[in-house]
């Protein structure tokens, strides 16, 4: 796949689904699927950096995933902590900036500290931004943004009718990032599962039956190729875009 014929999305957001089923097919415990999933993350991060993607947002743990059996949740927490331990230095060496978004207060103090340190270490890196959504929910994100604005109203800093869409965006956990251009979900389900709800208003969607541990560089290239063929009209007509692409 040559870069010059392909439109590379700036920001790719992925729901990494299918780890459990991948393990089940191998008659292994679900946890083995999550471990294989971490390996797949490594490969995709590397490939995104090579392709010139600017931001990669990964859904690692949703606010609804606490509903899983306690044993699976605690193994996922351990895995997250291990992955941070083993990967952060490597990410840093590759000029990758790590951001973690979500309601982090529900994590153990030790994990919270690891997250803070990882973000601090990589804060000034200028390469790929890897944005991990952990204990994240799109509705939670919108709610916490609106709460901040409500507080400004309470303090008399703004009036309710001064609140704009842009202000809501600027108080989301993704305020510093442009919205996703391409959304990918592996594992065959065709739903958003409370990921970046506000931010994906105009994102292109791509679904694949591949299970997350199977999703590799080649599979990502296929998703990017599909994205390249899309005409993003943002409400305009196709003719308008052909006349004045930037209008
Ligand atoms: C996604 O894989 C990983 C997390 C939600 C943490 P799943 O664990 O949801 O895998 P399936 O959907 O059961 O196969
Ligand atoms: C979405 O996957 C969340 C993550 C991948 C972290 P789920 O497997 O939890 O989604 P549902 O429950 O099938 O919608
Ligand atoms: Mg799943």
């Amino acid at each position: 796949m040559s870069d010059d014929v392909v439109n590379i999305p700036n920001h790719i957001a992925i729901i990494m689904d299918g780890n459990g089923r991948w393990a089940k097919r191998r008659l292994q415990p679900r946890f083995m699927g999550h471990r294989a999933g971490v390996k797949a993350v490594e490969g995709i991060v590397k490939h995104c950096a090579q392709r010139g993607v600017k931001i990669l947002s990964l859904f690692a743990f949703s606010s609804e995933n606490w509903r899983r059996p306690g044993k699976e949740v605690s193994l996922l927490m351990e895995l997250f902590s291990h992955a941070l331990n083993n990967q952060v230095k490597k990410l840093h060496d590759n000029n990758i900036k790590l951001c973690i978004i979500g309601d982090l207060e529900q994590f153990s103090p030790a994990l919270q500290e690891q997250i803070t340190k990882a973000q601090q270490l990589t804060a000034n890196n200028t390469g790929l931004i890897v944005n991990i959504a952990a204990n994240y929910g799109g509705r939670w994100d919108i709610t916490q943004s609106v709460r901040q604005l409500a507080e400004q109203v309470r303090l008399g800093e703004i009036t309710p009718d001064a609140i704009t869409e842009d202000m809501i965006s600027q108080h989301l956990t993704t305020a510093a990032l442009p919205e996703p251009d391409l959304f990918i979900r592996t594992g065959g389900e065709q739903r958003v599962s409370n990921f970046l709800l506000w931010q994906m208003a105009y994102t292109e969607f791509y679904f694949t039956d591949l299970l997350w541990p199977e999703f590799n560089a080649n599979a990502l290239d296929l998703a990017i190729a599909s994205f390249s063929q899309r005409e993003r009209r943002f409400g305009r007509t196709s003719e308008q875009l052909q006349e004045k692409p930037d209008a």
Side-chain angles (χ1 to χ4, degrees), residues 48-198:
C48 280
Q50 272 168 6
R51 282 267 173 258
V53 172
K54 302 276 188 303
I55 303 144
L56 175 65
S57 290
L58 299 172
F59 207 2
F61 190 85
S62 77
S63 42
E64 288 72 35
N65 287 146
W66 296 105
R67 296 173 184 158
R68 294 192 177 195
K71 186 76 193 148
E72 179 166 349
V73 170
S74 59
L75 284 170
L76 280 167
M77 294 298 146
E78 267 176 47
L79 192 63
F80 188 28
S81 169
H82 273 123
L84 282 173
N85 250 342
N86 300 332
Q87 301 296 328
V88 171
K89 192 178 174 305
K90 202 159 118 197
L91 295 175
H92 185 50
D93 291 344
N94 285 291
N95 195 26
I96 291 169
K97 177 172 169 169
L98 196 62
C99 299
I100 319 280
I101 57 167
D103 188 359
L104 306 179
E105 282 173 15
Q106 286 186 47
F107 292 135
S108 72
L111 184 52
Q112 287 186 49
E113 194 180 316
Q114 259 190 306
I115 289 171
T116 308
K117 284 198 171 141
Q119 294 191 113
Q120 280 169 352
L121 178 72
T122 62
N124 296 320
N125 290 345
T126 54
L128 175 71
I129 296 174
V130 174
N131 183 37
I132 310 269
N135 193 21
Y136 182 87
R139 289 180 173 175
W140 164 82
D141 202 0
I142 296 167
T143 305
Q144 66 79 33
S145 166
V146 169
R147 274 200 197 124
Q148 292 180 55
L149 293 170
E151 182 62 10
Q152 292 182 18
V153 171
R154 190 180 72 84
L155 295 170
E157 293 169 4
I158 54 171
T159 57
D161 58 359
I163 295 173
T164 60
E165 290 185 6
D166 207 40
M167 285 160 76
I168 293 178
S169 300
Q170 285 309 311
H171 289 84
L172 294 172
T173 55
T174 52
L177 307 172
E179 290 173 0
D181 300 292
L182 171 62
F183 162 75
I184 299 170
R185 181 172 187 145
T186 62
E189 312 296 350
Q190 304 198 351
R191 55 179 173 253
V192 194
S193 300
N194 200 15
F195 196 22
L196 301 161
L197 297 180
W198 176 279

